Amino acid sequence: MSEMGKPSGYFDRTYREALRIIYTPWQWVAFICLLLLLVLFPLFASPYLLTVGIRIGITIIAVVGLNIVVGSTGLLNVAQGAFMAVGAYCSAMLVSKLGLNFFPALVAAGLAGCFAGLLFGAPSLRIKGFYVALATLAGYFIIMWGLMEWFGGTSGHPAPRPMLFGLSFQSDVMYYYLVGVLALFLGIFANNLFRSRVGRAFVAIRDHDIASEILGINIYRYKLLAFGIGCFYGGVAGSLQAHFFEYTNLEAFPFSDSIWLLGMVIVGGMGSVLGSVFGALFFVVLEEFANVVCPLIAALFPSMASHGQMEASLKYLIFSLVIILFVVFEPNGMAHRWNLLKGSFRVYPFNY
Amino acid sequence: MENFITLLISGITSGSIYCLIAVGFVVVFKATKVLNFSQGMLVVVGAYLMWTVFSIGIPVFLAIILGFILTMTASMALERVCMRPLVGQPILASVMVTLCLIGGLRGLVLLLWGPQGKKFPVEIVSSGVWTIGGMGISKEKAMALMASLCLIILLYLFFKFTRIGLGMKVTSEDHFIGQIVGLKINRIFSYSWGIAGLVAAVGGLFLGLIISIRPELEEIGLKALSAMLLGGLESIPGAIIGGIMIGLAEAMSGWYLASYLGNGIGEVSPYILMIIVLLIRPYGLFGWKKIERV
């Protein structure tokens, strides 16, 4: 845990203590309350809120994966949507065409995303900065073309809800728990990855590639590793999304979505799992909010609303405006604000 | 053989629109070291602004001038509002903002002009075909090619001889040195986006002449990135050659490889070319080779 987020009065005396994420009893209380809230959420949530919850979970997985690539390693991946599409197509085809169980197919989807990531991350070995953005941008269109030509075209595939040992995930409530458990597990894995030797190597490469190479970090290996892990997350998220909607096609993964995912990483906070959660939460809620507000605004301008695209265009405008405002005014993201807020409460009457 | 020459001509002429977009990329990159992903969308905005000034019914010549001024103003306003605060920020910030500008401008275009395709309401050049040695060349496309050639000559002279052009070269090398020799960095940035806006307006004019204007045309802008990369990021002649090569690759692969790789290969070939260039020669054909091992 970074020095900033650490409560005062708690000093680490052993390595084991230094590895703690949760320090104080009150943090335990808050953590358990949050978990309980998440577990009990389906009991009092309306079906609509439940689908929003599932979408937030799926988005969190995709954003955490992207954060490993963009936030901590500094490789600009603008094609997370395409890696999600690879995962979605892979697991949908395995389940519906070959009759495989969902869970092996989920792992296969992650591996397929990982493979695609390695393939289009490979050019990043020689290049950096916006060149990587160009490589992944090209990757997006090549992947989409490949999926269209060889893997079922634009018509897409059915993707039935999973079954395991007679336990059906047909209902949204069960699917919510599945997504929640996976998001929690993958989030904790990423959080620990950031604190490990590998995560520190990622950050070193982001901050100065030449210096990190002098320190003995194998840049090529770690860049590919970052792409592999990040796109594995993407593949898993894509697969979950496909089986949530029980159908998948290429229109579910437009290029703008990849940009919004990148925006979530920045709005939330780079290189922080908590930030990814904030970013995903903020954007999904913002989208739902836009779905409510945009028709109202459209109704105010009947002359303009005649073409029926007013809502879509307002959504585009709102999303890009929010991201630009965050880049300009708070490039450190919401996670940084959150830490500042916690810090100011912690020292409350005596903030110097 | 007959086919080959037809494809050659259609490739070169359809490459002309890529040239016009790629030149805009290069101008901004040359002056500010920012890769403006939204240049393609700016061209679309330019085309819509052109359509608007044509439909108010003033003489064509005046309308074209007015459209140019409007697009330049829009481009400079974008720079002032979105890019100016990012001077000195890491590269991610500018990439993110210009990527978002694609979405934002698209939203704005949809809001103001609607999703239907539009054609210019007045006839600017009499549409038709020139035949050279039995091959037909569409007049508009040939004129787009000539316009982009004129633009590069003008821009080449601009960067070579004018104070502002030379100042842009200095600024791209080092902001600090630029300030020491008495350049106003902010103004240089503003001018470079203004020129990019002008190029976008020319591109928009020909875009409207060749195809009907739709908000989805932003994809052409993304393909033009490949043209710019192929030519070299800093090279204006490179952008022209890159644009023509991308046009050729699209036409040729669409015809010859379609039976092996499916019909989409023509559409996707610019991106495949982009990956190949990044793997082999990231600085492009005419770009400056940076001596830095990553």
Side-chain angles (χ1 to χ4, degrees):
Chain A
M1 175 169 270
S2 65
E3 275 310 307
M4 196 175 146
K6 213 162 107 178
S8 61
Y10 285 81
F11 302 106
D12 305 322
R13 278 157 300 189
T14 61
Y15 285 117
R16 219 184 137 67
E17 284 183 353
L19 287 177
R20 285 179 298 184
I21 297 178
I22 297 169
Y23 273 85
T24 65
W26 282 111
Q27 282 179 343
W28 273 110
V29 171
F31 178 67
I32 289 167
C33 282
L34 185 70
L35 268 189
L36 268 179
L37 185 74
L38 288 177
V39 169
L40 298 178
F41 179 69
L43 293 183
F44 55 83
S46 63
Y48 163 72
L49 273 183
L50 201 61
T51 56
V52 173
I54 294 172
R55 280 185 44 222
I56 289 174
I58 294 169
T59 316
I60 284 175
I61 296 176
V63 176
V64 167
L66 192 59
N67 215 335
I68 294 172
V69 182
V70 178
S72 65
T73 322
L75 299 164
L76 274 168
N77 176 6
V78 297
Q80 187 75 346
F83 301 124
M84 284 173 74
V86 170
Y89 264 57
C90 177
S91 81
M93 284 175 83
L94 282 179
V95 172
S96 65
K97 293 256 155 67
L98 299 180
L100 207 65
N101 189 290
F102 167 75
F103 289 91
L106 182 71
V107 177
L111 290 177
C114 173
F115 175 72
L118 291 181
L119 202 62
F120 289 101
S124 71
L125 299 183
R126 286 195 66 195
I127 53 185
K128 61 178 180 181
F130 59 81
Y131 285 103
V132 184
L134 285 176
T136 48
L137 179 110
Y140 174 86
F141 288 99
I142 295 173
I143 287 174
M144 285 302 174
W145 166 71
L147 288 178
M148 199 176 79
E149 288 294 334
W150 292 306
F151 295 99
T154 42
S155 58
H157 299 284
R161 290 277 173 94
M163 288 277 292
L164 186 72
F165 304 131
L167 189 66
S168 168
F169 291 90
Q170 192 63 42
S171 67
D172 277 358
V173 176
M174 287 307 286
Y175 206 76
Y176 169 83
Y177 285 123
L178 174 71
V179 171
V181 167
L182 278 171
L184 191 69
F185 175 72
L186 289 171
I188 289 174
F189 178 80
N191 199 22
N192 281 336
L193 183 79
F194 287 153
R195 304 179 325 139
S196 71
R197 179 189 177 86
V198 178
R200 286 193 298 273
F202 287 166
V203 174
I205 291 173
R206 176 191 71 191
D207 288 347
H208 205 296
D209 42 5
I210 295 172
S212 60
E213 195 169 25
I214 292 167
L215 285 171
I217 293 165
N218 187 342
I219 296 193
Y220 301 147
R221 223 182 93 201
Y222 281 106
K223 276 186 174 176
L224 276 186
L225 193 64
F227 258 110
I229 300 174
C231 298
F232 182 89
Y233 276 60
V236 169
S239 162
L240 285 172
Q241 183 176 332
H243 291 268
F244 172 52
F245 292 125
E246 300 183 57
Y247 194 80
T248 186
N249 64 359
L250 291 183
E251 277 164 26
F253 306 96
F255 182 62
S256 51
D257 273 15
S258 302
I259 300 178
W260 306 146
L261 283 172
L262 197 57
M264 290 176 211
V265 170
I266 290 173
V267 167
M270 307 241 293
S272 138
V273 174
L274 188 69
S276 309
V277 175
F278 282 152
L281 197 70
F282 181 69
F283 264 79
V284 175
V285 171
L286 186 70
E287 193 178 356
E288 295 304 323
F289 182 70
N291 282 342
V292 176
V293 170
C294 289
L296 296 180
I297 301 176
L300 286 180
F301 303 98
S303 58
M304 274 183 177
S306 56
H307 51 68
Q309 288 259 344
M310 178 113 179
E311 286 131 50
S313 51
L314 277 175
K315 209 187 278 182
Y316 270 114
L317 266 180
I318 292 173
F319 274 32
S320 39
L321 202 65
V322 164
I323 298 176
I324 290 174
L325 286 177
F326 261 93
V327 172
V328 171
F329 292 110
E330 182 50 284
N332 291 320
M334 290 162 86
H336 180 68
R337 281 279 147 195
W338 172 250
N339 279 340
L340 288 182
L341 190 74
K342 274 201 308 192
S344 68
F345 268 109
R346 191 169 296 136
V347 293
Y348 167 59
F350 304 114
N351 43 353
Y352 45 92
Chain B
M1 199 60 209
E2 193 91 327
N3 260 335
F4 180 76
I5 295 174
T6 315
L7 284 174
L8 198 69
I9 292 173
S10 96
I12 290 175
T13 47
S14 63
S16 56
I17 198 80
Y18 295 137
C19 299
L20 281 171
I21 302 175
V23 168
F25 284 126
V26 170
V27 169
V28 171
F29 188 82
K30 230 174 144 77
T32 64
K33 279 280 185 299
V34 166
L35 186 57
N36 175 17
F37 282 91
S38 64
Q39 179 71 24
M41 206 59 216
L42 207 57
V43 171
V44 177
V45 171
Y48 273 105
L49 285 172
M50 282 286 173
W51 179 84
T52 312
V53 289
F54 282 140
S55 27
I56 49 178
I58 48 176
V60 170
F61 181 71
L62 267 179
I64 290 178
I65 303 261
L66 188 60
F68 281 6
I69 293 172
L70 278 177
T71 319
M72 272 177 83
T73 319
S75 170
M76 283 161 99
L78 278 184
E79 191 272 338
R80 184 67 193 83
V81 175
C82 301
M83 300 308 293
R84 187 72 62 78
L86 301 181
V87 174
Q89 293 271 351
I91 195 115
L92 172 79
S94 65
V95 169
M96 194 63 231
V97 167
T98 53
L99 274 175
C100 280
L101 279 180
I102 300 180
L105 286 176
R106 185 182 173 161
L108 204 62
V109 162
L110 271 171
L111 205 61
L112 293 178
W113 286 287
Q116 287 89 21
K118 290 199 189 325
K119 269 269 170 206
F120 285 155
V122 286
E123 193 155 275
I124 293 135
V125 286
S126 51
S127 61
V129 209
W130 283 327
T131 42
I132 300 172
M135 300 298 144
I137 303 176
S138 121
K139 251 185 194 175
E140 294 97 343
K141 288 186 177 177
M143 284 186 67
L145 195 63
M146 281 194 270
S148 40
L149 284 175
C150 290
L151 261 182
I152 59 160
I153 294 169
L154 282 177
L155 284 173
Y156 179 79
L157 294 175
F158 173 79
F159 275 109
K160 194 96 180 168
F161 294 112
T162 62
R163 278 195 76 82
I164 302 170
L166 288 170
M168 284 180 185
K169 277 184 168 176
V170 177
T171 316
S172 80
E173 200 57 39
D174 197 323
H175 294 178
F176 190 59
I177 292 177
Q179 280 176 327
I180 288 174
V181 296
L183 292 165
K184 292 200 168 52
I185 305 288
N186 287 345
R187 216 172 274 175
I188 296 273
F189 280 17
S190 191
Y191 290 149
S192 73
W193 277 70
I195 294 170
L198 185 67
V199 176
V202 177
L205 181 63
F206 285 103
L207 202 65
L209 285 177
I210 294 168
I211 23 183
S212 68
I213 322 161
R214 298 181 311 275
E216 298 88 52
L217 287 174
E218 71 192 32
E219 288 215 356
I220 288 186
L222 297 179
K223 282 184 197 161
L225 277 170
S226 169
M228 175 212 55
L229 192 66
L230 185 62
L233 293 172
E234 291 94 353
S235 165
I236 289 174
I240 302 295
I241 291 166
I244 291 172
M245 282 173 79
I246 294 298
L248 278 177
E250 212 175 3
M252 294 283 173
S253 61
W255 180 262
Y256 289 109
L257 298 177
S259 48
Y260 307 107
L261 294 167
N263 286 324
I265 181 73
E267 286 283 303
V268 86
S269 61
Y271 300 112
I272 296 177
L273 216 58
M274 185 139 91
I275 290 272
I276 294 171
V277 172
L278 282 171
L279 279 173
I280 300 170
R281 228 183 133 85
Y283 41 91
L285 293 173
F286 302 97
W288 299 333
K289 190 174 178 179
K290 300 279 187 309
I291 304 175
E292 181 188 25
R293 217 178 130 245
V294 183

